[in-house]
Amino acid sequence: MKKYLIVFLISMVPLIELRGAIPYAVGFGLPIVPSIIVSVLGNMLPVPFIFLFARRILDWGKDKKLIGGFCRWCLEKGEKGGRKLEAKAGAGLYVALLLFVGIPLPGTGAWTGTLAASILDMDFKKSVLYVLLGVLLAGAIMLLASLGVFGAIDLLH
C-alpha cells in the first residue's frame, strides 16, 4: 500500500507526473493495472484546481517579493504552452491539448496543459476530458517504455 501511495504522490508532482510514477511502479514490480489507475487518479486530481484557480493565484502572486519569480515563470510557461497549442491547432485546439499532454516530452503534461487551457479560456469540461485522454496516452507510452527498459534490464541478468 505504501508503494501505491508513493506512485499516487509522484504522479501529482508538476513536471514529473505519471511520467515518473509509472516507471517507479514498473521498477518496483507493482501490478500494472492498479498502478496505472493510481497514477492517472493522482495526475488528474490537481487538474480541476489548476484550471479554476492557478491562473488567479499566479496573477496575484506575480508581484509578490518571495513568490513573484516562480509565479511569473509558471505564467510564462502556461502562456508559451497556450500559444504553441493555438499556433499548431487552429480548429483542432482540443486535439492539440490531448497531444500536448499525451506525448511525454519535457515541459508538457497535465499541469502545463491545464494551465495553458485556462489561460486560453478553453471550456472547462472539454479541457478536463482532453487532458484526461492525454494523460491516458502518456500513461500508455510510459508503460510501454518502462516495460521495454526494465524488460531489457531483466534480460541482462
Side-chain angles (χ1 to χ4, degrees):
M1 193 61 162
K2 181 180 175 185
K3 288 184 181 173
Y4 285 117
L5 178 59
I6 293 170
V7 168
F8 183 79
L9 293 173
I10 291 171
S11 68
M12 289 179 67
V13 175
L15 303 175
I16 297 173
E17 303 180 21
L18 58 66
R19 294 157 167 80
I22 290 174
Y24 173 88
V26 170
F28 280 94
L30 295 175
I32 291 172
V33 172
S35 296
I36 296 292
I37 292 169
V38 168
S39 295
V40 169
L41 289 174
N43 204 176
M44 287 301 296
L45 182 65
V47 166
F49 300 101
I50 295 165
F51 191 95
L52 296 171
F53 303 114
R55 184 176 173 186
R56 293 178 195 163
I57 292 168
L58 294 171
D59 279 334
W60 169 84
K62 69 183 177 189
D63 299 326
K64 305 298 183 262
K65 186 175 183 175
L66 291 175
I67 60 171
F70 175 74
C71 291
R72 285 188 300 277
W73 178 81
C74 289
L75 283 168
E76 288 167 14
K77 188 147 188 60
E79 288 172 20
K80 183 179 176 184
R83 283 193 302 272
K84 205 183 260 189
L85 280 175
E86 275 186 318
K88 291 183 177 180
L93 191 57
Y94 289 95
V95 173
L97 177 62
L98 181 155
L99 295 173
F100 182 84
V101 172
I103 299 174
L105 297 171
T108 67
W111 281 74
T112 307
T114 303
L115 183 57
S118 175
I119 288 171
L120 293 174
D121 293 319
M122 294 170 70
D123 179 71
F124 172 76
K125 288 180 184 178
K126 208 168 171 183
S127 295
V128 171
L129 173 63
Y130 279 83
V131 167
L132 173 61
L133 294 172
V135 165
L136 294 172
L137 175 60
I141 292 169
M142 290 310 302
L143 178 62
L144 292 173
S146 297
L147 290 173
V149 168
F150 289 108
I153 291 170
D154 285 344
L155 288 175
L156 295 175
H157 287 100

